[in-house]
Amino acid sequence: MKRWTLVLAALAAMTVPAAAQTITAALNQDIRSSDPGVNRDGNTDMVILHVVEGLVGNSEGGEVGPLLAQTIDVSPDGKTYTFTLRQGVKFHNGAPLTSAEVLWSWNRYMDPKTEWRCLPNFDGRNGTKVVSATAPDPATFVMVLDKPNAIFLDQLALTDCGGTGILHPDSVKADGSWDKPIGTGPFKFGEWKRGQSVSLLAFDDYVSPPGDKRDGFLGLKKPLVKEVRFLAIPDAATVKAGLQSGAIDVSSVPEAEVAELQADPNLTVELGTNPVRHSIILQTRDPVLKNVKIRQAMAAAIDYQALVDAVTEGIGKVNNSPVYRTSQYYGPVEQQGFTYDPERAKALIAESGYKGEKIVLIANKRSTVPSFNTAVIAQQMWQAVGLNVEIEVLDWAAQLDKYNTGAYMMEATSYSPRFDVALGFEQISGPKDKQPRKVWENPEALALIDKAMQVTDPKERQPIFDQLHKMLLEDVPVIFTHNDNDCLAHNKRITGLKPWASNLILWGVAKS
């Protein structure tokens, strides 16, 4: 806390002309790496997607569209994708973008040694397999799938894949080890002081995608300041003090701070709903939690309205479905969630043969997620029906490592946005032997998810998602509580900022 007080004091002492060229934003934790989609979390993705761009990206409405690609042609059999690249695009080192760099980036991602988060999405483990990738000429890149996949482009655009960002080979050192991202984005990667800050510098030669206005990761993406500086400040009180003093220009803030910050005449708070899903995940291979009656009892013991009201200051709304509330597929079935019934919970516990074994719930205290508060409230409700639940608080990096390896009983955690609902289900589902981070491995569910990935007609997809929702409520591998609320506080010198899908996007944002 003392260290960050000194940092904020130094920032506040900056001269006005210099300050007007720099936007200072607060993150609740440092980034984990600078390698797109490798050793990542939400903060990492958000920062790196200012630096790198993929062939495709998501619009503000969630649709996938061309980014570094100018056009995308799909063969009649749905298996061959031909990307024609935009002309005039440059990397941060001044080199022109060609299909050679696209192919180099793809081959690097597909090398298991890279440890790219999304390798299973494209090597066949998650149903999609890219059987070849070629660069027939400098402006053309071709990918061939083993079978048609309706959401292949959506998978390429995923933020936790780093948007499958295209890199220049100079991003790695002579020995092949990672150095820093040299991409095509509106900002260049500057200095990373680990545990403290990351600076991004405006790329003066940036060539924006077509459009006269911002549109998610597409559209107009011009940098309007010389530098963006992200500060890693886990302490919410320090962030609030920085916002009120002007030392911090913008930050996500917890719902509990919204009313006070809205009353500050120098600040504005932007609110929005996004597809992030807050949850409690359960390890179905654990000796205690593999009993479905225990998991069903845990779901029945929670008063969801009371929990969500408490952790969001009454702003949030309950949603027990993997389908986010603003999706076109959030229908009458998805609105039917778990039923709060403590007496049924007690009966299920009695039927399960539970003998008071300790159940450990891992949580973290990051200021902009409800992990710890959710854990405390749920623990009280579970103890009230006779479950012996203890909370273990870890820093986020340690919790994420346990999630990735499946080394937990339960975790209070959050899932990053998935605009396509099939990907939202896939995000939590899969065989744990191959991907330990997956939480739901019901074979029938996996087959339905695979089917949803092969069709695009909403009339065909809706019954699939309805059935998956019902199955998840029965199996209880995860208890979703609510969708995230974007709460972005910023001083009134900042213009052009708006919340979108839990992303703090700072291109197109100016500071007077």
Side-chain angles (χ1 to χ4, degrees):
M1 174 101 178
K2 182 178 180 181
R3 182 185 75 178
W4 285 114
T5 302
L6 294 173
V7 170
L8 294 178
L11 286 170
M14 294 171 64
T15 61
V16 172
Q21 296 297 312
T22 301
I23 292 178
T24 301
L27 299 177
N28 55 24
Q29 294 284 342
D30 193 13
I31 64 174
R32 290 172 66 91
S33 80
S34 63
D35 195 349
V38 178
N39 187 22
R40 46 69 58 196
D41 63 3
N43 285 346
T44 308
D45 301 336
M46 183 171 59
V47 171
I48 297 306
L49 286 169
H50 285 74
V51 177
V52 303
E53 298 173 310
L55 293 170
V56 295
N58 288 113
S59 70
E60 193 168 292
E63 296 83 7
V64 66
L67 183 46
L68 287 180
Q70 179 174 319
T71 60
I72 305 166
D73 294 318
V74 184
S75 63
D77 65 2
K79 295 193 292 185
T80 300
Y81 288 73
T82 301
F83 302 87
T84 302
L85 304 182
R86 285 196 287 122
Q87 298 300 300
V89 176
K90 293 182 180 180
F91 287 100
H92 298 152
N93 62 0
L97 169 70
T98 73
S99 60
E101 291 79 33
V102 180
L103 181 59
W104 179 87
S105 300
W106 178 256
N107 288 337
R108 179 177 178 272
Y109 287 134
M110 295 303 289
D111 184 346
K113 293 179 182 177
T114 302
E115 297 184 341
W116 188 40
R117 163 66 174 269
C118 295
L119 177 60
N121 290 5
F122 302 103
D123 67 2
R125 279 180 282 174
N126 281 351
T128 301
K129 185 173 184 179
V130 177
V131 295
S132 72
T134 56
D137 63 63
T140 307
F141 184 65
V142 180
M143 305 178 82
V144 180
L145 312 184
D146 64 336
K147 60 183 178 182
N149 188 319
I151 59 171
F152 172 61
L153 296 178
D154 295 85
Q155 290 177 306
L156 288 177
L158 290 175
T159 56
D160 49 345
C161 300
T164 317
I166 305 306
L167 300 162
H168 191 275
D170 287 353
S171 301
V172 301
K173 300 174 183 177
D175 63 0
S177 61
W178 180 252
D179 186 14
K180 65 179 181 179
I182 298 176
T184 62
F187 290 91
K188 300 182 291 185
F189 195 79
E191 183 181 15
W192 180 15
K193 295 180 180 179
R194 293 177 184 265
Q196 298 182 39
S197 65
V198 182
S199 70
L200 306 181
L201 307 175
F203 180 35
D204 293 334
D205 291 331
Y206 179 67
V207 178
S208 177
D212 57 1
K213 62 180 181 179
R214 275 176 43 177
D215 188 12
F217 290 114
L218 307 176
L220 188 63
K221 296 177 66 178
K222 185 178 180 180
L224 299 183
V225 293
K226 291 295 185 183
E227 180 185 14
V228 169
R229 185 179 304 154
F230 293 96
L231 301 179
I233 308 178
D235 182 70
T238 304
V239 172
K240 182 170 71 172
L243 286 164
Q244 293 174 324
S245 72
I248 294 173
D249 293 311
V250 58
S251 178
S252 294
V253 295
E255 287 96 341
E257 306 286 359
V258 167
E260 180 180 354
L261 295 176
Q262 283 177 326
D264 189 316
N266 297 314
L267 297 175
T268 297
V269 181
E270 313 281 357
L271 299 177
T273 301
N274 65 62
V276 169
R277 291 149 296 161
H278 298 303
S279 68
I280 299 168
I281 58 175
L282 297 85
Q283 177 54 269
T284 57
R285 291 191 175 186
D286 177 80
V288 176
L289 297 181
K290 68 180 181 181
N291 188 323
V292 69
K293 290 188 177 182
I294 292 290
R295 303 197 304 271
Q296 290 171 343
M298 302 192 91
I302 296 176
D303 182 339
Y304 295 96
Q305 192 63 60
L307 185 152
V308 173
D309 283 346
V311 302
T312 70
E313 298 294 318
I315 296 174
K317 295 183 178 180
V318 174
N319 181 16
N320 296 142
S321 178
V323 183
Y324 58 97
R325 289 182 56 88
T326 53
S327 168
Q328 64 173 316
Y329 296 106
Y330 187 75
V333 173
E334 287 69 28
Q335 294 172 29
Q336 301 302 312
F338 296 114
T339 300
Y340 172 50
D341 188 344
E343 294 307 315
R344 179 172 180 267
K346 292 176 183 178
L348 286 166
I349 292 169
E351 294 170 14
S352 74
Y354 175 71
K355 296 180 173 59
E357 296 94 334
K358 182 171 68 175
I359 300 172
V360 178
L361 172 61
I362 295 173
N364 69 81
K365 290 189 175 181
R366 291 184 296 162
S367 61
T368 54
V369 294
S371 173
F372 180 71
N373 291 342
T374 293
V376 170
I377 295 168
Q379 179 196 38
Q380 294 172 349
M381 294 175 179
W382 287 329
Q383 289 177 340
V385 297
L387 292 168
N388 178 17
V389 177
E390 294 186 6
I391 298 172
E392 179 182 1
V393 178
L394 299 177
D395 65 65
W396 172 235
Q399 179 178 347
L400 186 60
D401 288 340
K402 286 186 174 292
Y403 162 75
N404 284 328
T405 58
Y408 62 86
M409 290 184 76
M410 292 196 301
E411 289 194 9
T413 191
S414 304
Y415 281 96
S416 54
R418 290 292 186 272
F419 293 108
D420 188 279
V421 171
L423 288 177
F425 278 101
E426 184 277 328
Q427 189 179 28
I428 63 171
S429 309
K432 297 184 182 188
D433 289 333
K434 295 181 179 180
Q435 298 178 78
R437 72 175 185 272
K438 300 296 189 177
V439 301
W440 196 25
E441 53 184 348
N442 182 317
E444 185 181 353
L446 299 185
L448 284 171
I449 294 168
D450 186 57
K451 182 179 179 182
M453 290 182 175
Q454 297 175 36
V455 297
T456 57
D457 186 343
K459 293 181 180 179
E460 294 183 60
R461 300 186 103 200
Q462 187 69 64
I464 299 174
F465 298 141
D466 291 350
Q467 187 174 351
L468 283 166
H469 171 80
K470 294 176 182 178
M471 290 172 62
L472 185 136
L473 295 186
E474 184 68 21
D475 285 356
V476 201
V478 56
I479 299 171
F480 288 105
T481 56
H482 62 294
N483 293 124
D484 191 46
N485 298 297
D486 280 322
C487 304
L488 285 182
H490 63 87
N491 62 53
K492 292 188 175 178
R493 292 172 293 172
I494 298 296
T495 57
L497 183 73
K498 61 179 179 178
W500 174 68
S502 195
N503 289 292
L504 180 56
I505 291 176
L506 295 176
W507 57 77
V509 177
K511 181 179 177 182
S512 61

